[in-house]
Amino acid sequence: MFEYVRGTLWGCAVAILVLMVLMAVEGVAVDLKLNLKTYFWLTAVCAGGVFACRQAKISPWLNCTIFAVLLELLVATQIPDANRTLSELYPNADPAAIRWHYPTMIALTIPAALAGSLIWVFTIKRAEERTTVNDTANHS
């Protein structure tokens, strides 16, 4: 049980850190669009998915799925006041962008986390291939 909690907490911590850095960039830059906030979220979720899998000792895919579902619930709890809040934060934003921001986040949060886990899986496979190639070269 602790292994799932550990990986999920690592994923959440990394996602929060990445999101904070990206939001700081948004605060420094002038005139960024609302769509960029969606991309920032998905990037942070993908990075969190990588670390959720990386820290899992038992089942990386299950760990990443728990992480993704937790973030999905986080996004879903934001929806009741979302359009009003975004209208206040982005007064010049296109109303269509405001209406599509949270549905896009709901639709793509789990796939973004799973994309992070795929990145981790392919990184591990490459590392194993390199180790195998190096071992066979050393034994020759």
Side-chain angles (χ1 to χ4, degrees):
M1 178 73 170
F2 176 71
E3 296 300 326
Y4 298 122
V5 173
R6 184 178 116 193
T8 303
L9 289 178
W10 264 98
C12 289
V14 168
I16 289 168
L17 285 173
V18 170
L19 190 62
M20 287 174 55
V21 168
L22 292 174
M23 289 303 185
V25 168
E26 181 188 28
V28 171
V30 179
D31 237 5
L32 290 178
K33 303 289 183 198
L34 176 61
N35 294 341
L36 205 54
K37 188 180 283 295
T38 306
Y39 301 139
F40 286 169
W41 170 254
L42 296 176
T43 302
V45 169
C46 187
V50 170
F51 276 85
C53 283
R54 184 176 177 202
Q55 294 301 319
K57 300 285 185 198
I58 299 171
S59 175
W61 286 101
L62 181 60
N63 210 0
C64 188
T65 304
I66 292 169
F67 165 73
V69 168
L70 182 66
L71 291 183
E72 190 75 31
L73 290 173
L74 177 71
V75 171
T77 59
Q78 301 295 317
I79 289 180
D81 298 323
N83 290 340
R84 184 174 42 100
T85 304
L86 288 176
S87 296
E88 292 169 3
L89 288 173
Y90 295 91
N92 298 329
D94 181 24
I98 291 175
R99 278 192 305 273
W100 285 102
H101 177 69
Y102 278 101
T104 302
M105 287 175 64
I106 281 192
L108 295 178
T109 294
I110 290 177
L114 294 178
S117 64
L118 284 175
I119 291 169
W120 179 79
V121 165
F122 288 127
T123 303
I124 291 301
K125 283 186 180 180
R126 278 186 141 178
E128 288 173 357
E129 287 173 4
R130 276 191 231 126
T131 304
T132 305
V133 169
N134 288 338
D135 287 345
T136 56
N138 289 338
H139 291 297
S140 299

